[in-house]
Amino acid sequence: MDLPDGLSLSLPAARTDRLVAVAAIVVLLEGLSRILLAVAVGPFVESVWSYVLPILVPPIFATLCLGAVVPALREVNAADGPGKSDGRNDGNEADTDEASEPDQREWLEQVRSRGRSLLAVAVGGHALAVVAGVALFVLIDTPIRYGLYLLGRGDLLAPHVVVYGAFLGLAFGTLVAWAVPAVAVVRVADGASARTGLREALETTVGTPRALARPFALHLGYVVFLAATLVGTFVWLEVTVPNGTEFGSIEGVVLPLAGSGLVLVFGSAAWLAASVALAAGRFDATGARGSWRPPSVPVAQLAVAFLLVTSLVTTAGLVRAGEIRPVDAEPEPLPDDPNGIYATALENTDRSDHVYRYSDVGDGGTVIETHIDRSDRQLKSVSGEDGPVTYLTSAVSYGNFGGPFDGSGSEAIAVPGYLVWEESEQWSESSARVGEPDPAEHDWTIRDATDDELVLELEDPDDVSAALAGGELDERFDEPEVHEASVTMTVDTERNVLVDGEFRFAVTDWAEVESADEIDGVETGVTTGEQVNESSFDGVTAAVADDESTDRQPDATDESADREPDASNEPPGDDSDGDHEPTHDAHLELDYEVDVDVERPEEVGPPGPGELFWRLFAY
């Protein structure tokens, strides 16, 4: 395997293959150690750290192994001579390889003598690369996402894009930034101390940044290669697995994953070998290749560069952590027709920072209060005075809200729960909030109007039933008798938002009454006179199955087959008083407030490290 053309260090083919083989072993060791670390710490840490810790671990194997081969690379290149830097040795390649056979002993000696300094560079250099990687990610990613929000395309930043984009952005930024510590690895391999190597790496970055142009380009090319391979694998699995291919099948999953793994290993090995060859040749201060000397940069210049970069990163970080982004909260004007008025007022309310209060008056005053802060991406829901609390932000989830993190209970977990909730809300065809009339209903009328308010009303029982539970009367009941049915919603015509609303719905389903009367001694889900709470989260309560479902055929000896039905069980007509309590009775009240802030519940506690991580990365 040949290294890429144009590198400043050329090697005989055999030595190039040996270098790539060493790099492949290093890649496998680094990859496997990170996988084992993620598996080992997974049960004991928050889920976010299972992905972040493998990125934060220094590349110990890579630094030791590649730092150890630098002197050997220089010796081989010097043996080739200046006139053979193109890789040709005029037929003496075998002599060169034979003369350099004891490389393994030299490498072990290099590790023994320089190992401690190389370890220090691995730790210190990786810390520098991680910080620089975070800075690169923040400086590049923030304006891109701000632009998407400005253009109204924040929907492109789905939860999986935000979550996995954070991990990949941190990893890719760290890989690109390692072009700087690579200089320190070469310098330590040449005999410099770890502190001197790191200082000279920083001085080279500030004093002669052009010297790092090709290393940075090589690292950036590797990141593009990684991204293309990962995206290609993901697309392949998305295309093949849903089309009838079993997830564990060889042709559908195992072969693509194995192929991608081989591509990643050998591609990474080629990049690593090329990187160490380039760094060893370009930053050679021993005189074997030239007269490169690290630049002498005044401390003041280093300080100015540090302050400039720090100020830019801090500004971008504050924008991200403070949720500073364009939000379209300007209310749309109300149209003239009542149907459009309700739909527009509902949308204006939902886009604002608001509180939605749901009160089930007919069920003992159950109250659910939901605070939604669109600007800061927060949601807080409280059920009753002492009921459970749900709190979601772009960095933490607390309580149960029916998402993939449902079941967290009273423990705050560092996941962007608000983003998951927001995506599910965007994909719903109607309002996701309990008790709110579906904006798809189109039979609103204006009952009352003042200078600053409109009162909209639904009077038709079918419309009221559909608004309350998503189905008309005939779809939900067999023999309904409507006692009361109305929905009113008040609209603030100055701010074009909803103010409050009220549901009244009382129905007797005589089929249920008959079933309850005919079943003697058996408890049923609905008994005569029992009021069913129509306003539960499911919106519909179970009814007793009709006796006809048993398909019982009348017997000749069965007197009930010829018996006249009891008039008391028939729906009341003109000659019946119909005095029967509703089997379905609902009385709901809705209240709204806009332009509110959501306060963090005391139950959630102070932010932890995982939440702070997402505050910065989940923008």
Side-chain angles (χ1 to χ4, degrees), residues 113-131:
S113 61
R114 307 302 304 159
R116 185 174 300 178
S117 296
L118 288 173
L119 284 175
V121 167
V123 175
H126 192 65
L128 176 65
V130 169
V131 173

Side-chain angles (χ1 to χ4, degrees), residues 147-199:
L148 290 175
Y149 290 126
L150 186 63
L151 296 174
R153 297 312 311 269
D155 58 300
L156 296 176
L157 301 174
H160 64 275
V161 174
V162 174
V163 171
Y164 294 110
F167 301 135
L168 293 177
L170 177 59
F172 290 167
T174 302
L175 280 172
V176 172
W178 247 99
V180 175
V183 179
V185 174
V186 172
R187 295 296 297 121
V188 170
D190 288 337
S193 65
R195 181 176 181 180
T196 300
L198 291 173
R199 189 191 73 246

Side-chain angles (χ1 to χ4, degrees), residues 312-472:
L312 292 174
V313 173
T314 301
T315 301
L318 291 176
V319 169
R320 301 174 72 93
E323 293 285 358
I324 301 174
R325 56 196 175 89
V327 178
D328 183 15
E330 188 68 22
E332 297 290 335
L334 297 177
D336 295 330
D337 66 293
N339 298 324
I341 290 175
Y342 172 71
T344 303
L346 176 62
E347 181 181 359
N348 289 339
T349 305
D350 189 56
R351 286 164 49 217
S352 66
D353 301 334
H354 66 282
V355 175
Y356 169 68
R357 190 174 295 105
Y358 162 93
S359 302
D360 190 344
V361 180
D363 188 33
T366 301
V367 177
I368 301 175
E369 192 171 282
T370 304
H371 302 241
I372 302 176
D373 188 343
R374 301 285 186 185
S375 301
D376 296 331
R377 295 196 291 188
Q378 297 183 85
L379 179 145
K380 181 174 71 173
S381 180
V382 182
S383 300
E385 294 183 1
D386 301 322
V389 176
T390 296
Y391 181 66
L392 309 175
T393 73
S394 59
V396 70
S397 298
Y398 177 86
N400 300 328
F401 69 103
F405 311 113
D406 190 32
S408 60
S410 60
E411 180 183 358
I413 55 177
V415 291
Y418 180 90
L419 304 184
V420 179
W421 169 82
E422 187 178 42
E423 184 185 46
S424 65
E425 183 194 38
Q426 289 175 352
W427 285 104
S428 63
E429 296 180 356
S430 62
S431 173
R433 292 178 297 202
V434 60
E436 213 166 45
D438 191 332
E441 299 302 320
H442 296 297
D443 289 309
W444 292 95
T445 59
I446 297 178
R447 192 183 76 176
D448 193 12
T450 63
D451 292 339
D452 55 359
E453 286 186 350
L454 281 176
V455 179
L456 303 176
E457 184 176 32
L458 287 176
E459 295 181 291
D460 186 89
D462 283 331
D463 295 335
V464 174
S465 176
L468 180 66
E472 296 184 355

